[in-house]
Amino acid sequence: MILKTVTLTAEGRAPVVVNAPAAPAAATVSVALPRLVAGTYRAAWTAEGADGHKMSGSVSFMVH
């Protein structure tokens, strides 16, 4: 898949859009996150398969 967008949200904070660098399709993708203050975050992502198939999902995590 090719990572297209990553948006971080946390209660009481403005959303943070993380730039997904251009990269060839891969089975595993990653992106560097900015320094985050303590809190509970949701990372929502969109991606595209090599065949153009659109995908999306999210993951929640905490920073202590």
Side-chain angles (χ1 to χ4, degrees), residues 13 35-41 60-64:
R13 303 193 188 283
R35 187 172 210 59
L36 302 171
V37 299
T40 301
Y41 292 85
S60 295
F61 63 95
M62 293 178 71
V63 174
H64 297 276

Side-chain angles (χ1 to χ4, degrees), residues 6 14-15 17 21 23 26 30-31 34-38 45-46 52 58 60-61 64:
V6 177
V17 177
S30 64
V31 64
R35 187 172 210 59
L36 302 171
V37 299
W45 57 269
T46 61
S58 66
S60 295
F61 63 95
H64 297 276

Side-chain angles (χ1 to χ4, degrees), residues 3-48:
L3 188 62
K4 295 293 188 175
T5 65
V6 177
T7 303
L8 301 175
T9 55
E11 189 173 325
R13 303 193 188 283
V16 176
V17 177
V18 180
N19 291 326
T28 303
V29 296
S30 64
V31 64
L33 299 180
R35 187 172 210 59
L36 302 171
V37 299
T40 301
Y41 292 85
R42 181 174 169 264
W45 57 269
T46 61
E48 188 174 292

